[in-house]
Amino acid sequence: MKLATLRTADGSTTAALATGAGSYIALPATDVGALLAQPEWRLVVEKAAGAAASKEQKVIAAGEADLAPLLPRAGKVICCGLNYGDHIQEMGRELPEYPTLFAKYADTLVGANDAVEVHGSGRVDWEAELAVVVGFELFRADEDQARGAIAGYTVANDVSMRDWQNRTLQWFQGKAWDGTTPVGPVMVTADEAGEHFDVRGYVNGELVQQGNTSTLVFDPAQLLSYISQFTTLRPGDLVLTGTPGGVGMGMTPPRFLKDGDILTTEIDGIGRLENQFRIHAPVPANA
Amino acid sequence: MKLATLRTADGSTTAALATGAGSYIALPATDVGALLAQPEWRLVVEKAAGAAASKEQKVIAAGEADLAPLLPRAGKVICCGLNYGDHIQEMGRELPEYPTLFAKYADTLVGANDAVEVHGSGRVDWEAELAVVVGFELFRADEDQARGAIAGYTVANDVSMRDWQNRTLQWFQGKAWDGTTPVGPVMVTADEAGEHFDVRGYVNGELVQQGNTSTLVFDPAQLLSYISQFTTLRPGDLVLTGTPGGVGMGMTPPRFLKDGDILTTEIDGIGRLENQFRIHAPVPANA
């Protein structure tokens, strides 16, 4: 099944089941994270789907669906860098022994079709990524336990302000900007998702990034197990698995998003993010 | 005033006002963060203090107080590294132009007298720090606005698993271990706190670290203003201001905490953390 979080007319959000016809069935939870926190969430979804068939449950037409960030209140959003083996090797580097991890907060997340507003950076770059949604609590879990705790997969773009990212050795200040990490449009449950995914990024329709997650150095279960050695992962937490080659910073000359650009992030079998960027001038004196 | 978060008999917590006599007056909020989220929180505290004087409000004796992490549900815990100017200069380095920032989650926090359990690291190091508690929402704030939004100050120790921290360039995996960052015992409100603080760390009673926050490269208001340029700070968020010289990793030979060691972290005018470490052997094969 495919689950989304939709904005509602009252200014709140609701979890929703995507139907094959492009419409959504509202679910009794404020967002996908709140849904996953219910141990019997699959039964909750099935019951709502049955009620929709008998017209007792609200159905939202495709054209009326306003996609919120998939997990607007994710407790943890943990990202892995330097994880595509083919890209690392083409750069002439050794494969890493350990995953490079950094954290951001749920405030960074925006919906699949939201505008992204950036004030104070002139080097806004893209990082198309597969993201893993945690379904069960994990602490000091092995890889099999971690694999079994994957609720599903979604699409994310770890948009990075390279000027700020490169001010110091720690990337956080270039990665944790409010409302700059698109995520969605849906989570495809692990049982319906394939094993490997083609990940692609486009700027104004031009393909700039592509990779396949079969070349990940650390796969989703390995990442979740590794992270859980030191911190608890819970339902609705999000782990971003890293980006393939093709980021703007690596181009000659480097290329960054301009005001008005459309960034598209796509994973076959999951869906597509399409976000317009509003890059506000002038850049403050301290940037 | 001095505010704390205490564990209660029913397994929950309560915010509390520390009295001059060492006892605490229970406040109508689950923790200091929830208290600060009430715009009129000073009136709430004054009312409870008045009720305690007339014996209508519960008073907890000093010996019965069980200190929880000051901000058990902090939305953001953002840390600054490399921030003591005298220590940076004695190491022969240039003063940084920008603060080095990294993030952790509230799961890392433990109470002022809690045992700290570590599984899987053999290089557990200390970082005594002044921590700043945010009192009002801040986004793209200047330094004056940031200064006005400081609710108060507390003591923290950014305990770091150096083996994990140094596995990759990003420090997160050595810094974000659940239940390893002591914080408390109280928050002293900004109006009652001095401008500069002596920060000291001891291992089994031996002084290992000391510094004064007058030598910070980026002071609390500068840090809050800088962080708020990219992410919203809210009441109950915590910003750790960095550690002075004297960490174990910098000793010759390097020195780390052993099972049973007592780590004491002290700031004059705020209070003292005293935490015993339980460092569990054997270290897993992947550590």
Side-chain angles (χ1 to χ4, degrees):
Chain A
M1 56 182 73
K2 293 184 176 185
L3 302 171
T5 300
L6 304 181
R7 296 190 180 97
T8 52
D10 64 358
S12 181
T13 59
T14 182
L17 172 68
T19 71
S23 60
Y24 294 88
I25 298 165
L27 300 173
T30 55
D31 57 64
V32 171
L35 178 70
L36 296 177
Q38 305 175 39
E40 300 297 309
W41 64 267
R42 283 183 176 272
L43 291 177
V44 171
V45 175
E46 282 161 19
K47 190 175 162 195
S54 62
K55 302 190 177 172
E56 289 162 17
Q57 187 77 9
K58 189 179 176 190
V59 175
I60 299 140
E64 287 166 20
D66 181 3
L67 289 157
L70 183 71
L71 299 156
R73 299 180 299 162
K76 290 175 183 157
V77 182
I78 299 179
C79 307
C80 183
L82 312 174
N83 199 22
Y84 274 80
D86 53 352
H87 179 57
I88 294 167
Q89 290 181 315
E90 84 185 352
M91 303 289 284
R93 294 189 193 144
E94 297 278 316
L95 291 185
E97 191 175 356
Y98 302 106
T100 297
L101 300 173
F102 57 95
K104 48 174 80 181
Y105 298 106
D107 280 339
T108 57
L109 306 177
V110 289
N113 301 119
D114 289 347
V116 174
E117 307 271 341
V118 178
H119 293 262
S121 171
R123 298 195 168 197
V124 184
D125 200 353
W126 50 84
E127 295 198 356
E129 309 204 3
L130 174 73
V132 183
V133 181
V134 178
F136 295 97
E137 186 165 312
L138 285 176
F139 187 62
R140 306 188 75 217
D142 64 26
E143 283 178 33
D144 284 341
Q145 292 167 324
R147 192 170 295 108
I150 295 173
Y153 301 93
T154 188
V155 186
N157 202 307
D158 179 27
V159 169
S160 302
M161 289 15 98
R162 302 297 188 195
D163 35 6
W164 289 65
Q165 183 183 344
N166 294 327
R167 285 179 173 184
T168 73
L169 289 176
Q170 299 303 301
W171 301 344
F172 173 73
Q173 66 187 270
K175 296 281 195 175
W177 288 45
D178 285 5
T180 63
T181 302
V183 61
V186 295
M187 181 194 88
V188 178
T189 51
D191 59 318
E192 291 189 10
E195 194 180 354
H196 299 304
F197 302 89
D198 271 321
V199 177
R200 287 185 296 275
Y202 304 80
V203 176
N204 299 328
E206 176 194 348
L207 180 69
V208 289
Q209 279 196 281
Q210 60 181 326
N212 186 284
T213 60
S214 62
T215 69
L216 288 178
V217 182
F218 304 100
D219 72 18
Q222 289 172 316
L223 285 175
L224 267 56
S225 168
Y226 188 89
I227 294 166
S228 84
Q229 300 309 307
F230 58 88
T231 192
T232 307
L233 292 170
R234 297 192 183 83
D237 285 347
L238 199 59
V239 174
L240 276 64
T241 61
T243 200
V247 300
M249 185 177 62
M251 295 181 174
T252 310
R255 176 175 167 185
F256 301 105
L257 293 173
K258 299 183 304 297
D259 184 44
D261 279 354
I262 306 282
L263 180 66
T264 304
T265 318
E266 192 175 62
I267 297 182
D268 291 338
I270 303 179
R272 171 192 293 201
L273 311 171
E274 200 166 285
N275 300 86
Q276 185 164 39
F277 277 69
R278 295 293 177 198
I279 298 176
H280 297 272
V283 173
N286 69 342
Chain B
M1 57 182 73
K2 293 186 176 185
L3 302 171
T5 300
L6 304 181
R7 296 190 180 96
T8 53
D10 64 358
S12 181
T13 58
T14 182
L17 173 68
T19 71
S23 59
Y24 294 88
I25 298 165
L27 300 173
T30 55
D31 57 65
V32 171
L35 178 70
L36 295 177
Q38 305 176 39
E40 301 297 310
W41 64 266
R42 283 183 177 272
L43 291 178
V44 171
V45 175
E46 282 160 21
K47 190 175 161 193
S54 62
K55 301 190 179 173
E56 290 161 16
Q57 186 78 9
K58 189 178 177 191
V59 175
I60 299 140
E64 288 167 19
D66 181 4
L67 289 157
L70 183 71
L71 299 156
R73 298 181 298 164
K76 291 175 183 159
V77 182
I78 299 178
C79 306
C80 183
L82 313 174
N83 199 22
Y84 274 81
D86 53 352
H87 178 56
I88 293 168
Q89 290 181 317
E90 84 184 354
M91 303 291 282
R93 295 188 195 147
E94 298 278 317
L95 292 185
E97 192 176 356
Y98 302 106
T100 297
L101 300 173
F102 57 94
K104 48 173 79 179
Y105 297 106
D107 280 338
T108 57
L109 305 177
V110 288
N113 301 120
D114 289 346
V116 173
E117 307 272 343
V118 179
H119 294 261
S121 171
R123 298 195 167 197
V124 183
D125 201 352
W126 50 83
E127 295 198 356
E129 309 204 5
L130 174 73
V132 184
V133 182
V134 178
F136 295 98
E137 186 165 312
L138 285 176
F139 187 62
R140 307 189 75 219
D142 63 26
E143 284 178 34
D144 283 341
Q145 292 167 324
R147 191 170 295 107
I150 295 172
Y153 300 93
T154 187
V155 186
N157 202 307
D158 179 27
V159 169
S160 302
M161 292 10 103
R162 302 297 188 196
D163 35 7
W164 289 65
Q165 184 184 342
N166 294 328
R167 284 179 173 184
T168 71
L169 289 176
Q170 298 304 299
W171 300 344
F172 173 74
Q173 66 188 269
K175 296 281 194 174
W177 288 46
D178 285 4
T180 63
T181 302
V183 61
V186 295
M187 180 193 87
V188 178
T189 50
D191 59 318
E192 291 188 10
E195 194 182 352
H196 299 303
F197 302 88
D198 270 323
V199 176
R200 288 185 295 275
Y202 305 81
V203 176
N204 299 329
E206 176 194 349
L207 180 68
V208 289
Q209 278 196 282
Q210 60 181 326
N212 186 282
T213 60
S214 63
T215 70
L216 288 178
V217 182
F218 304 99
D219 73 18
Q222 289 172 316
L223 285 175
L224 267 55
S225 168
Y226 187 89
I227 293 166
S228 83
Q229 300 309 306
F230 58 89
T231 191
T232 307
L233 293 170
R234 297 191 182 83
D237 286 347
L238 198 59
V239 174
L240 275 64
T241 61
T243 200
V247 300
M249 183 177 63
M251 294 180 174
T252 311
R255 176 176 167 184
F256 301 105
L257 292 173
K258 300 183 303 296
D259 184 44
D261 278 355
I262 306 282
L263 180 66
T264 304
T265 317
E266 190 175 63
I267 297 183
D268 292 338
I270 303 179
R272 172 191 292 200
L273 312 170
E274 200 166 285
N275 300 87
Q276 184 164 39
F277 277 69
R278 294 292 177 200
I279 298 176
H280 297 273
V283 173
N286 70 342

